[in-house]
Amino acid sequence: MTTSDAPPVAALPLPSLEPLRLIDDDGCRTAQPHRAGFDLPDTETLRMLLRAMVVGRRFDSQAAALAKQGRLAVYPSSRGQEACQVGGVLALAEQDWLFPTYRDSVALTARGVDPVEVLTLLRGDWHCGYDPKAYRCAPQCTPLATNASHAVGLTYAARRKGSDTAALVLMGDGATSEGDAHEAYNFAAVWNTPVVFLIQNNEWAISVPLHKQSAAPTLAHKAVGYGMRGYHVDGNDAAAVHAVVARALAEARSGGGPALIEARTYRTEPHTNSDDPTRYRDEAEADRWRRRDPLARLEALLRSDDAVDDAQLAEYASRAERLAESVRTRLAHEPHRSTDELFSHVYAEPTPALRRQRAGVREAAARAERGGASNGGR
Amino acid sequence: MAGYTLGGALNRALRDALAADPDVVVYGEDVGRLGGVFRVTDGLGAEFGEDRCFDSPLAESGIAGTAVGMAMYGRRPVVEMQFDAFAYPAFQQVVSHVAKMRNRTRGRVELPLVIRIPYGGGIGAVEHHGDSSEAYYAHTPGLRVVTPATASDGYSLLREAVESPDPVVFLEPKRRYWARAELDLPVRTAPMDRAVVRRPGADLTVIAYGPTVDTALAAAEALAEEGREAEVVDLRSLSPLDDETVAASVRRTGRALVVHEAHEFGGFGAEIAARMTERCFHHLEAPVLRVCGLDVPYPPPHLEEFHLPSADRILDAVDRLQWESSWVPGASGPRPEASRTEVGA
Ligand SMILES: Cc1ncc(C[n+]2csc(CCOP(=O)(O)OP(=O)(O)O)c2C)c(N)n1
């Protein structure tokens, strides 16, 4: 005998082929129908978005410079994607969690993580430089799409404990091809967990363009097959990204289920500092996108509304400069290396075998220190 | 009839763990209403409710990945992978996240979760239902890998696995599920990371775990009739490995044999052989030998008897534990002259 407790079927609208925009490329308010029932966030929120993007961009360019100088092991820039990262993160509430990838350093700074802690991974000091629980930010995820099911499990657990914690998962267009993405979307929808998946479709997965990645009309359409809401948004419009993520989070929080958002943006820089985009893309394409700059668009709108002035913009810029300066000076110090740390965090307690290896490495490190020789001082 | 099967003991362990800690949750494919295809979760959904024991979508990576997230939020998930070879889709999550989260976060995020996997052959199942995948997991730092051979260990190890601050891959020898033992539960046996001597003996050491412990004991019984006493060590934990207990036994007996169902090549037996060579070289009277599954994909049921280590194969190997007969056919060069005269064991 079987019984079914399946919920009633409800039809989900297909996401629109045109991405939702609240601000056009020139920084003007868009007219209906592009607004699709979404309102421009209030001026205070728009200013906050602009300020965070200005700071984020400066942080990004500073990090890219440090990578060039060899101070970072690698840096994947998110220049041009600030509207997605900042717009998404600033919609989160205090108790919510962020699940970022390697490209989302700007998102982490917008969440309030110390920028030097953000760069710890990319600097090669340690895998995750910040305390995930303190900031409610999962470690930056390198294996593609694997962070998505973590968010589903975490919000599921939170709901069972009576918390209204929601989560924002950041992932790329390439990551949506991974099986883990499908499993996470499906789990989230079946379990009705408050997770918002924000896909930063930046057109390229290293050298592979979107049309070789997916045959879906938009990535947002994928949502419908899982039984969740899908939104298609202009990813260079911080106001639109913020509005859509905020609504999706609110709906998810109140039991409306997860959502999948495709934000259309572009990676204007190489995949990482060691990538050569001239091998696979036309720089004229990147230039076209550089002219749709998310910072310039929002700034133009706020200026035409007289909602920011030169003094305020100068204040944002100097705030950004102070942050860059602090990152530079703090990263100029060599990190303190403790070989014991290699063994301290494998298990709750090091096993006898790890204790033996720890003693061996300690000895080698001490010898190297004494002799300064690369062969361990022998 | 009194007593418990291994499956029943595991069920009782889960029930007691659910009752002891409200953060424990049990889920996976078919574990709710059906109670798991091996019935290890039988009745738990009814007793503890859908919040504590439930069916998940059919997706192993998603099961492991959601368990990561739940553990990050302070729950203690115990998830079931239906069969050994169907846990492979979750391998990425297990190796890249479950095993590494503590390390990646410098100890700030620990993942106290258990992944239960029925493993190994001998039940006449068709393909993909008989793999012994322990070496993959044991090779991965950050995971604990344990496998019970008895009902009492089934109970005790599972309770400890759930209480462990580290993630545990809990391998259940599926052909032992129905083996019955007279015992009262709850019972706590040796600590999780300890090997135990199942049968003492002075002449040689047979090292086994999970499904092969009983085979090793049967071989020891037969040897005893010939007047040779085999010591049988049950590893219980493959990672971390209690090589101290194993080495103490091997130093006493001077001869060692490892028995496992998994393929010989690159298998867990190689690790034991290497360790015993390093730790007991001057005590060894013969090379450490292995009796393992063949280096073939797990065979169809009608041929699995040739793959699985049997008591007879163990006895044959014991005969080769003499110095002069330890030459391995196929090894390069001619068979060497016996250079020692003593005949031990
Ligand atoms: C599972 C997995 N496969 C391959 C890689 C190597 N890799 C790193 S980034 C990348 C492209 C990802 O593209 P996308 O998801 O669009 O994100 P983007 O880098 O554009 O932000 C690949 C293939 C990986 N990190 N993880």
Side-chain angles (χ1 to χ4, degrees):
Chain A
M1 183 205 72
T2 58
T3 57
S4 168
D5 45 20
V9 176
L12 287 159
L14 285 177
S16 86
L17 291 172
E18 274 300 304
L20 169 81
R21 318 175 78 194
L22 300 178
I23 308 175
D24 70 15
D25 283 358
D26 302 321
C28 301
R29 283 177 173 71
T30 56
Q32 297 290 358
H34 272 125
R35 317 214 9 182
F38 282 90
D39 291 324
L40 204 63
D42 60 52
T43 305
E44 200 37 60
T45 304
L46 293 176
R47 274 202 217 101
M48 182 177 77
L49 289 168
L50 180 61
R51 191 180 62 198
M53 288 201 293
V54 169
V55 171
R57 172 157 302 177
R58 184 66 189 93
F59 167 73
D60 188 84
S61 65
Q62 181 61 68
L66 288 166
K68 217 170 244 168
Q69 296 159 18
R71 288 219 163 261
L72 300 183
V74 66
Y75 186 69
S77 170
S78 59
R79 192 183 182 92
Q81 300 183 210
E82 293 89 348
C84 301
Q85 304 204 359
V86 166
V89 164
L90 294 189
L92 289 170
E94 179 76 16
Q95 77 276 12
D96 294 340
W97 273 71
L98 173 69
F99 287 79
T101 76
Y102 52 84
R103 192 171 305 287
D104 303 317
S105 297
V106 166
L108 284 162
T109 43
R111 180 73 174 156
V113 181
D114 178 340
V116 170
E117 293 181 7
V118 172
L119 293 177
T120 305
L121 167 79
L122 301 164
R123 190 189 190 197
D125 282 5
W126 197 258
H127 302 309
C128 175
Y130 49 90
D131 181 343
K133 289 184 172 167
Y135 294 108
R136 283 169 302 284
C137 293
Q140 278 177 286
C141 193
T142 305
L144 298 170
T146 52
N147 56 347
S149 57
H150 304 170
V152 178
L154 185 137
T155 48
Y156 180 92
R159 257 161 69 107
R160 298 283 164 180
K161 288 210 168 182
S163 158
D164 67 348
T165 296
L168 179 69
V169 178
L170 299 178
M171 57 203 298
D173 43 297
T176 64
S177 297
E178 291 279 0
D180 269 1
H182 300 276
E183 295 194 18
Y185 301 159
N186 189 53
F187 264 80
V190 172
W191 284 357
N192 191 31
T193 52
V195 178
V196 173
F197 303 98
L198 178 60
I199 300 163
Q200 297 177 68
N201 171 7
N202 64 10
E203 299 288 338
W204 294 93
I206 307 186
S207 66
V208 180
L210 180 68
H211 70 88
K212 292 198 178 174
Q213 202 70 248
S214 171
T218 74
L219 296 175
H221 278 68
K222 290 179 186 252
V224 176
Y226 298 102
M228 63 176 152
R229 286 160 297 115
Y231 295 101
H232 186 200
V233 62
D234 182 335
N236 283 23
D237 177 349
V241 173
H242 185 270
V244 170
V245 174
R247 180 184 293 184
L249 283 168
E251 284 168 342
R253 223 189 288 285
S254 62
L260 185 131
I261 302 170
E262 175 187 2
R264 294 285 296 278
T265 184
Y266 194 82
R267 160 166 69 70
T268 58
E269 297 299 297
H271 173 70
T272 69
N273 53 303
S274 47
D275 174 41
D276 176 10
T278 62
R279 281 171 169 262
Y280 55 83
R281 81 180 184 191
D282 179 2
E283 274 310 291
E285 175 187 279
D287 279 336
R288 274 197 303 281
W289 278 90
R290 286 186 187 105
R291 287 195 291 275
R292 305 187 54 211
D293 187 71
L295 278 68
R297 277 163 81 172
L298 184 53
E299 185 187 322
L301 178 93
L302 286 169
R303 272 188 188 277
S304 71
D305 282 0
D306 280 330
V308 285
D309 54 23
D310 287 345
Q312 262 165 319
L313 288 170
E315 197 269 311
Y316 298 171
S318 79
R319 180 190 282 254
E321 223 28 73
R322 282 198 303 278
L323 176 130
E325 157 88 52
S326 139
V327 168
R328 272 197 310 276
T329 43
R330 287 157 71 208
L331 282 187
H333 303 297
E334 281 306 315
H336 170 70
R337 291 199 314 171
S338 155
T339 59
D340 278 5
E341 267 209 307
L342 281 170
F343 306 96
S344 304
H345 313 299
V346 185
Y347 297 97
E349 292 291 331
T351 62
L354 287 180
R355 285 200 294 271
R356 279 197 299 276
Q357 292 180 12
R358 182 176 65 190
V361 171
R362 258 185 207 163
E363 211 171 287
R367 254 193 324 219
E369 192 128 308
R370 281 198 306 274
S374 58
N375 64 358
R378 282 195 187 207
Chain B
M1 182 174 145
Y4 274 91
T5 59
L6 171 62
L10 295 169
N11 178 271
R12 175 71 192 272
L14 288 175
R15 197 193 317 149
D16 290 355
L18 282 160
D21 182 351
D23 279 326
V24 174
V25 288
V26 173
Y27 67 99
E29 295 160 13
D30 303 295
V31 305
R33 215 168 265 184
L34 181 66
V37 290
F38 292 104
R39 306 292 183 269
V40 172
T41 58
D42 196 20
L44 302 179
E47 187 171 341
F48 293 94
E50 271 246 45
D51 283 1
R52 308 287 307 283
C53 175
F54 50 93
D55 292 319
S56 72
L58 208 170
E60 292 75 14
S61 188
I63 291 170
T66 52
V68 169
M70 288 196 203
M72 284 174 81
Y73 202 80
R75 304 220 85 172
R76 301 183 96 88
V78 183
V79 296
E80 176 173 307
M81 298 285 155
Q82 202 157 67
F83 281 93
D84 34 55
F86 306 137
Y88 299 143
F91 201 63
Q92 155 82 319
Q93 287 288 349
V94 175
V95 170
S96 295
H97 292 300
V98 173
K100 291 180 180 161
M101 186 66 83
R102 174 189 294 282
N103 194 258
R104 292 168 70 216
T105 63
R106 254 172 172 158
R108 284 147 169 167
V109 179
E110 56 180 20
L111 297 180
L113 60 88
V114 180
I115 300 174
R116 294 181 36 243
I117 309 177
Y119 83 120
I123 62 165
V126 294
E127 59 170 356
H128 305 299
H129 292 74
D131 283 21
S132 295
S133 42
E134 65 269 25
Y136 305 130
Y137 302 109
H139 188 62
T140 306
L143 299 178
R144 285 174 172 270
V145 182
V146 301
T147 176
T150 66
S152 50
D153 266 3
Y155 180 88
S156 184
L157 288 176
L158 188 49
R159 288 298 306 274
E160 269 202 71
V162 176
E163 287 162 10
S164 167
D166 296 310
V168 181
V169 173
F170 193 89
L171 297 168
E172 300 172 5
K174 63 172 90 80
R175 71 175 146 113
R176 305 288 305 155
Y177 271 141
W178 304 277
R180 207 165 254 291
E182 293 301 316
L183 80 156
D184 290 323
L185 293 182
V187 66
R188 290 295 181 124
T189 57
M192 189 163 74
D193 51 5
R194 284 274 88 87
V196 300
V197 174
R198 289 273 171 230
R199 176 192 173 110
D203 298 330
L204 69 136
T205 300
V206 182
I207 300 141
Y209 54 85
T212 56
V213 172
D214 249 54
T215 321
L217 288 169
E221 198 67 32
L223 279 170
E225 282 167 24
E226 300 172 13
R228 288 187 287 181
E229 289 299 333
E231 181 149 300
V232 176
V233 178
D234 175 358
L235 293 180
R236 300 166 85 251
S237 172
L238 306 186
S239 180
L241 174 70
D242 177 11
D243 53 356
E244 199 53 56
T245 297
V246 184
S249 172
V250 173
R251 285 193 205 107
R252 259 193 320 271
T253 65
R255 290 177 166 81
L257 184 69
V258 195
V259 188
H260 62 60
E261 281 187 23
H263 319 294
E264 180 175 284
F265 189 85
F268 200 74
E271 180 64 35
I272 303 287
R275 273 177 193 263
M276 290 310 111
T277 306
E278 287 171 9
R279 301 197 58 165
C280 311
F281 186 72
H282 298 288
H283 300 265
L284 284 173
E285 304 286 347
V288 179
L289 295 184
R290 289 168 292 168
V291 176
C292 305
L294 306 173
D295 290 322
V296 301
Y298 195 88
H302 285 145
L303 290 167
E304 69 181 343
E305 65 180 294
F306 299 101
H307 174 77
L308 295 172
S310 60
D312 278 347
R313 273 175 66 197
I314 295 173
L315 294 177
D316 286 348
V318 169
D319 288 341
R320 286 200 289 119
L321 276 179
Q322 316 312 315
W323 174 261
E324 72 276 13
S325 54
S326 62
W327 180 75
V328 176
S332 62
R335 184 179 191 122
E337 286 306 304
S339 60
R340 292 211 186 174
T341 48
E342 100 202 64
V343 178

